[in-house]
Structure formats: C-alpha cells, structure tokens
C-alpha cells in the first residue's frame, strides 16, 4: 500500500490539472469509475476497511436502508460484526433462489470470517448457500461447502442438517442410492438432536429421493408427512412446496384428480403469498399433468411459461428441465424440428 499522504497529493494534482476529481467536504467525487477504482486500490488496507465500515454505518442509519448493501460493506470493513443483523436478508434471498452473484459472494465472505456467526446461524447459511449453488448447477462447490461444514462440527443437529442437504445434492444429480445413504446419516444424527422439525425436512428429502428412484408409494407417504408438519407450522411457502411435490407424484401414479386438487391448492397459496418460485414449480407440475391427460397444447403453453419464469429467476436447472420437457412434448405432438 502507498502512504495515504501520497494518494491525497495525487488526487489534489488531478483536481488542479485535469478537473476529473473534485473535493466535496471530506470526500472525493470522480468523473470516471475507472479512476475511482484505481485510487481505491492505492489506499492503505486499514483505511479502505475503515471507509467500508463508515459507509455501512451511515447507510444503516437511513430510513430505508438496503441490508445487502450494509452487509457487503461491513464484511469488507474493519467492523464485520456489524453485518450480523443483515445476514438474515442474505439467507432469505438464497432460500428463495433470488440471489445474484454478489449475494453469493457476501455469504461466502461471511463464512470465511472466523467467529462471526454462532454455530447454528453458520450452518443455516452454509445449507442455504449450498442449495442455491446446486440450483445453479454448481454442485461441486455445494458439496465441498457441506463437507467442510460437516468436518467442522460435532453437533448432532448441525450434522443432520448438512447430511440432509447433501442428500438433496445427490438426488438432483441422479444418485438416489448415495442420497439414501446421506438420509440415513441425517436421520441417525437427528435422533440425537433437539432441532425442531428436522424430521420433517428429512421427510421432504426422503420424498424426493424415493421419487427419483421410482418408489412412488414411499415418495408420496413422505411428502404427505412433510405436508402435515407444514400445515401445523402454517408457513404458506412450505405448504405450497409440499402440495406441488404431491401433485407431481400423484400425476406419476396416474391419480390425476388427486394431482389437480393438490396443484389447485398450491396455486392459490402461491398467488397470494410466495409467488415467484412456487408458481414456477407449480406450473411445471401442472404442465406434466396436462401432458399425461393428453392436453398437449395447454401443456406446451404452460411449459413455455415455466421456461420464462426459470429464466427470470435465473434458475438454471429449472430452465434445463423446461427445455427437455418442451423437446419431448414436441416429439409426442409429431413436431420433430421443434424438438
């Protein structure tokens, strides 16, 4: 790092000769972002960190502050503990898969700060980040993150959550046997913990793994157990998720009336509460149902809507599924060029 006095002298000279830098009280204003970036890199590290901390604190004092902005600057700054109250917002964006790459980096930076988070809060962020990375098809990163978290804890509840998240990774990667092994580990550790509702989360993952290996009876049984708990908890987004899952399973079982009932209820909830992601998944399950019922044109229209939602949400795996389903449906409709 250059001495601060040298940086300030250069800025004063640029202001005097070229007019592309101007003083504004104790701050400098730059006409070009590139100049600002070069000057920033020249600042001593401790001063950069102090500026980030001051920026975060000033923004947090405003009426409508952005918690993501505050967390970002605090984690770059000299007082990273100031980010703690804002990391819930980071976790929520990851959970709803609404996170851009900058939010992924903020979460990663928080996890790299030793002692910043309590163990339970840390595991919560690890799981949410891993599931988000998996939704972007970054499964290697997701598994490494979870494996590191497992190696770093002896807590049974935290291990149960990490094994359950790993099971989901293996399920979506087409490795149901490995997923089943992870779920057995998750259940074993869950029995030794007092984390509320961890059994329901494992039921959700068990349902997905069973469905993927073709055991629709177990898949539906596990999904119904998960639905019962979500109704007890009363969180609409979880209820809609469970209903969409059951709609998909019932469709595969050929029980179209049951499937329609599940999906209708999920859609009503999604429209009023947690629209974007659950509407996307619900639309996909309903498209498959219409397809199985022979209503190909309606199915294609819904698959196209699903594709647009997946693109809007940057959900790459959902986008891939939509393309695959549209291709197969085109073949069924006798339109090979479209496929």
């Amino acid at each position: 790092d250059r001495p601060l006095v040298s940086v300030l002298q250069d800025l004063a000279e640029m202001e005097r000769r070229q007019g592309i830098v101007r003083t504004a009280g104790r701050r400098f204003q730059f006409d070009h972002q590139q100049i600002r970036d070069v000057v920033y890199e020249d600042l001593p590290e401790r001063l950069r960190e102090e500026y980030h901390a001051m920026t975060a604190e000033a923004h947090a004092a405003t009426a409508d502050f952005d918690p993501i902005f505050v967390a970002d600057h605090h984690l770059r700054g000299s007082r990273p503990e100031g980010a703690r109250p804002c990391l819930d917002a980071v976790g929520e964006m990851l959970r709803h898969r609404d996170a851009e790459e900058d939010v992924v980096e903020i979460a990663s930076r928080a996890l790299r700060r030793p002692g910043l988070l309590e163990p339970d809060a840390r595991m919560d962020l690890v799981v949410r980040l891993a599931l988000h990375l998996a939704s972007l098809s970054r499964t290697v990163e997701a598994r490494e993150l979870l494996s590191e978290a497992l190696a770093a804890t002896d807590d049974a509840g935290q291990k149960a959550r990490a094994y359950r998240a790993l099971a989901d990774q293996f399920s979506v990667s087409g490795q149901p046997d490995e997923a089943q092994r992870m779920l057995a580990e998750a259940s074993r550790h869950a029995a030794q913990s007092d984390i509320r509702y961890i059994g329901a989360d494992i039921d959700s993952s068990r349902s997905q793994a069973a469905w993927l290996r073709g055991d629709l009876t177990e898949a539906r049984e596990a999904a119904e157990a998960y639905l019962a708990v979500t109704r007890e908890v009363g969180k609409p987004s979880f209820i809609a998720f469970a209903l969409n899952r059951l709609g998909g399973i019932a469709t595969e079982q050929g029980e179209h009336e049951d499937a329609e009932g599940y999906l209708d209820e999920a859609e009503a909830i999604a429209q009023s509460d947690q629209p974007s992601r659950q509407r996307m998944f619900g639309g996909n399950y309903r498209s498959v149902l219409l397809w199985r019922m022979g209503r190909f044109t309606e199915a294609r229209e819904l698959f196209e809507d699903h594709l647009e939602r997946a693109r809007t949400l940057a959900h790459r795996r959902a986008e891939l599924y939509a393309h695959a389903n549209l291709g197969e449906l085109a073949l069924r409709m006798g339109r090979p060029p479209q496929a």
Side-chain angles (χ1 to χ4, degrees), residues 18 45 56 58 94 96 113 119 131 158 173 179-180 193 239 247 290 306 310 327 334:
Q18 299 170 306
E45 184 177 355
L94 292 170
H96 291 297
R113 287 277 191 172
L131 293 176
Q158 290 175 28
S173 300
Q180 198 165 12
S193 81
I239 297 171
L290 291 169
H306 171 68

Side-chain angles (χ1 to χ4, degrees), residues 297-310:
T297 301
E298 294 170 81
R300 186 187 64 205
E301 289 172 356
L302 267 182
F303 276 135
E304 288 170 347
D305 181 65
H306 171 68
L307 177 59
E308 285 307 308
R309 289 185 190 279

Side-chain angles (χ1 to χ4, degrees), residues 138-180:
R138 293 162 63 176
T139 52
V140 173
E141 292 173 73
R143 287 180 193 172
E144 286 177 353
L145 187 63
L146 290 165
S147 297
E148 288 171 10
L150 272 170
T153 183
D154 293 321
D155 182 85
Q158 290 175 28
K159 282 185 176 291
R161 296 182 66 198
Y163 276 118
R164 180 246 171 174
L166 274 170
D168 288 345
Q169 304 297 303
F170 285 113
S171 287
V172 299
S173 300
Q175 297 172 267
D177 291 340
E178 193 63 21
Q180 198 165 12

Side-chain angles (χ1 to χ4, degrees), residues 81 83-92 94-95 106-130 145-146 149 153 155 157-159 161-162 195:
E81 65 278 2
R84 286 188 194 121
C86 301
L87 291 175
D88 284 346
V90 172
E92 280 300 295
L94 292 170
R95 186 168 74 82
I106 289 168
S108 300
R109 199 179 302 127
L111 292 172
R112 290 195 297 268
R113 287 277 191 172
L116 178 67
L117 295 170
E118 293 296 321
D120 286 346
R122 179 181 173 79
M123 183 59 77
D124 187 58
L125 189 58
V126 164
V127 168
R128 292 187 180 192
L129 178 57
L145 187 63
L146 290 165
T153 183
D155 182 85
Q158 290 175 28
K159 282 185 176 291
R161 296 182 66 198
I195 294 183

